[in-house]
Amino acid sequence: MLLTRASPTFLPSTSAASPSPQQAAPPPTSQTFGRRQHRRGGGLVSVSSPVVGQRSGARRSVMTAAGAVPAAKLEDADALIDSVETFIFDCDGVIWKGDKLIDGVPETLDMLRSKGKRLVFVTNNSTKSRKQYGKKFETLGLNVNEEEIFASSFAAAAYLQSIDFPKDKKVYVIGEDGILKELELAGFQHLGGPSDGDKKIELKPGFYMEHDKDVGAVVVGFDRYFNYYKVQYGTLCIRENPGCLFIATNRDAVTHLTDAQEWAGGGSMVGAILGSTKQEPLVVGKPSTFMMDYLAKKFGITTSQICMVGDRLDTDILFGQNGGCKTLLVLSGVTSVEMLQSPDNSIQPDFYTNQISDFLTLKAATV
């Protein structure tokens, strides 16, 4: 591991080893709404790369697929709503798909605010800054404050701040404008990004590609301008600059660029750099607990009073479980009920439902 400047609070996990059942934390003595009385078995969920801020004590233990405790279908929305103070929502597949708002979202958010619930929106999509996401919410007719939005582009800059990344070092960005804007706001020098999208390499005998020796971190996120130049430049920085960090905003396999189909996600760009460097990235987006720790500290939230709502098992639900939150899977995005209930799936949320507007209909049904 090349990370040498990380603070004790956010040191990444360097092992995916699972403790034995004898080492698992004992079950709580009483059961509260939405929380399993046991910890779903003795083994930890295996993740394929170090995740920044991983707290082994807070991770939800999950049994093998054959013995996983199945998620309950949400039937009493009021009980879940009343059991927490804060709802963290993923965006893509939960609030919108592409640029299309999912039905019932405005009314649902208004209802939760009327009950005094804090709402936070966390997305692994790094193409926009928090300010840019604020404009998207506004365009869709949603009244969301910039301080309530946390994108993985912001997480990358916040992580560098948390480890006191030297201001005389530079960050090479394989990604889009959102990462650049957040790095600028944090006061970090950067290069790369969309401006390298048109650059090409002329492979001729004796060609030697130069790179900036002052690059101390390579940040990789979703990039529609991804090319071989960026792969080679990022690879050279990570392999040849002593101590250079390899940071991934996320490793999502797919994303919703439109509401018509799924598109290759940021994990495909991260995978290319992983393949050429043979180094695992530090992941700052979901399911890393870095953003959860940041939010808990910023708002003074107790994680047991949070419900994480998302459409992805391996990012959103695992993010909530890693942070010790209640979890609700919605089927309006990537995950289908067949995928959830598949014998091969070991990640089970506390509850699942079709979409977040079920908070309104299920509430009415229980009156």
Side-chain angles (χ1 to χ4, degrees):
M1 177 59 65
L2 297 178
L3 179 59
T4 59
R5 296 182 292 275
S7 64
T9 306
F10 300 123
L11 279 173
S13 168
T14 56
S15 173
S18 300
S20 66
Q22 291 78 12
Q23 294 173 309
T29 56
S30 61
Q31 184 175 9
T32 57
F33 183 83
R35 303 301 298 276
R36 307 296 184 189
Q37 191 169 10
H38 57 285
R39 301 292 285 178
R40 300 186 192 273
L44 294 177
V45 175
S46 176
V47 290
S48 58
S49 63
V51 284
V52 179
Q54 186 68 67
R55 298 167 297 172
S56 59
R59 298 179 76 180
R60 177 78 63 90
S61 299
V62 178
M63 298 174 68
T64 60
V69 178
K73 186 172 177 59
L74 183 65
E75 296 180 350
D76 188 349
D78 274 346
L80 176 58
I81 293 169
D82 293 343
S83 72
V84 297
E85 297 175 351
T86 301
F87 282 90
I88 298 179
F89 292 99
D90 176 46
C91 295
D92 297 318
V94 178
I95 304 298
W96 59 63
K97 277 189 174 182
D99 291 322
K100 183 179 179 181
L101 195 65
I102 294 174
D103 291 342
V105 166
E107 297 84 355
T108 304
L109 300 184
D110 287 345
M111 180 272 290
L112 292 174
R113 290 191 191 277
S114 73
K115 286 180 168 286
K117 304 303 176 181
R118 177 187 287 108
L119 306 184
V120 179
F121 302 87
V122 176
T123 175
N124 265 357
N125 192 327
S126 62
T127 60
K128 295 180 175 64
S129 65
R130 291 197 295 173
K131 188 176 185 66
Q132 290 171 315
Y133 269 114
K135 292 180 179 177
K136 178 168 183 174
F137 276 100
E138 183 179 353
T139 299
L140 293 173
L142 299 176
N143 183 21
V144 175
N145 190 293
E146 185 178 321
E147 292 299 309
E148 298 174 318
I149 303 168
F150 292 86
S152 61
S153 53
F154 171 79
Y159 175 69
L160 290 171
Q161 287 181 315
S162 77
I163 63 169
D164 295 325
F165 184 75
K167 291 297 177 72
D168 60 343
K169 289 289 185 179
K170 300 175 185 176
V171 181
Y172 182 69
V173 176
I174 299 176
E176 299 193 16
D177 195 45
I179 300 174
L180 303 184
K181 289 186 178 299
E182 294 293 357
L183 290 173
E184 288 171 5
L185 289 172
F188 293 117
Q189 303 179 68
H190 61 78
L191 62 157
S195 64
D196 280 357
D198 294 329
K199 294 182 178 179
K200 298 180 180 180
I201 298 175
E202 294 185 15
L203 295 177
K204 51 189 178 182
F207 177 76
Y208 179 88
M209 184 172 177
E210 299 284 351
H211 74 282
D212 194 324
K213 301 298 193 297
D214 289 329
V215 170
V218 175
V219 175
V220 183
F222 180 76
D223 190 348
R224 285 168 289 190
Y225 312 99
F226 193 65
N227 59 21
Y228 188 66
Y229 177 91
K230 294 183 181 184
V231 173
Q232 177 66 2
Y233 200 100
T235 299
L236 289 173
C237 291
I238 293 169
R239 292 178 61 176
E240 298 188 10
N241 290 4
C244 184
L245 305 176
F246 175 16
I247 298 172
T249 61
N250 69 85
R251 298 187 73 167
D252 291 358
V254 297
T255 188
H256 290 111
L257 296 180
T258 70
D259 63 344
Q261 65 180 162
E262 293 178 350
W263 299 79
S268 58
M269 292 83 193
V270 174
I273 305 303
L274 168 62
S276 60
T277 63
K278 303 301 181 184
Q279 180 174 321
E280 290 286 344
L282 298 163
V283 182
V284 294
K286 297 173 291 185
S288 162
T289 60
F290 175 75
M291 281 199 285
M292 185 70 74
D293 292 335
Y294 186 95
L295 291 169
K297 182 177 180 180
K298 177 178 177 63
F299 294 117
I301 309 172
T302 302
T303 55
S304 62
Q305 288 295 308
I306 298 174
C307 179
M308 175 65 209
V309 183
D311 69 313
R312 297 174 186 265
L313 293 166
D314 59 349
T315 55
D316 301 325
I317 300 307
L318 196 55
F319 174 64
Q321 291 177 346
N322 285 344
C325 307
K326 299 178 178 69
T327 53
L328 173 66
L329 176 76
V330 291
L331 305 176
S332 53
V334 169
T335 307
S336 66
V337 70
E338 291 78 17
M339 294 167 63
L340 171 65
Q341 297 175 349
S342 168
D344 297 326
N345 171 45
S346 63
I347 303 174
Q348 293 290 326
D350 291 307
F351 301 99
Y352 73 94
T353 194
N354 291 323
Q355 55 191 40
I356 67 170
S357 61
D358 288 345
F359 277 158
L360 299 171
T361 57
L362 292 173
K363 172 180 178 293
T366 60
V367 173

